Amino acid sequence: QVQLVESGGGLVQAGGSLRLSCTASGTIFSFNSMGWYRQAPGKQRELVATLSHEAVTRYTESVKGRFTMSRDRAGNTVYLQMNSLKPEDSAVYYCNFLGYMDPTTVMSTWGQGTQVTVSS
């Protein structure tokens, strides 16, 4: 019942910035957390950032101080502001939702991914 759609990826020079967005639609009773993951070709999917219901954020060490995750409650949208981008940040970025569809049904849902490519 929940669908996630990411946008905002693209090609950027090293040192530049991008802002990714993820919008959730459908029936949601409550949510536990949202997360951003990334996966480079031939590599395992890596957790980048998480945002809890209480608005507590956590980041993988390699992006601390450069990336910021936030939530727009009214619009059911989360964002990932990425500054000072490096070539090693290049990957497909995926949004994840973990929550309840009703009081007894928990579900984890993934978006389709958005490509981020950092040159130089």
Side-chain angles (χ1 to χ4, degrees):
Q1 296 188 39
V2 177
Q3 183 175 17
L4 306 179
V5 179
E6 302 101 330
S7 63
L11 175 64
V12 65
Q13 295 284 336
S17 298
L18 286 173
R19 189 192 192 198
L20 307 183
S21 65
C22 172
T23 299
S25 61
T27 301
I28 302 173
F29 178 75
S30 66
F31 85 98
N32 290 339
S33 65
M34 299 285 292
W36 285 99
Y37 293 72
R38 65 187 181 188
Q39 186 169 23
K43 303 296 183 181
Q44 298 298 312
R45 189 167 296 185
E46 173 191 23
L47 177 63
V48 177
T50 59
L51 178 68
S52 72
H53 177 268
E54 297 78 16
V56 176
T57 55
R58 294 179 61 85
Y59 304 92
T60 191
E61 184 176 357
S62 64
V63 308
K64 287 181 179 178
R66 300 188 297 119
F67 291 11
T68 302
M69 189 175 180
S70 60
R71 177 176 62 191
D72 178 355
R73 289 178 174 81
N76 297 318
T77 301
V78 295
Y79 305 92
L80 185 66
Q81 178 67 46
M82 305 186 294
N83 299 325
S84 302
L85 283 162
K86 305 174 180 179
E88 52 263 45
D89 294 318
S90 297
V92 177
Y93 283 70
Y94 297 90
C95 182
N96 176 261
F97 166 87
L98 179 65
Y100 287 86
M101 304 302 101
D102 58 54
T104 62
T105 306
V106 66
M107 180 175 292
S108 178
T109 302
W110 294 89
Q112 82 289 344
T114 185
Q115 176 72 51
V116 172
T117 303
V118 184
S119 64
S120 301

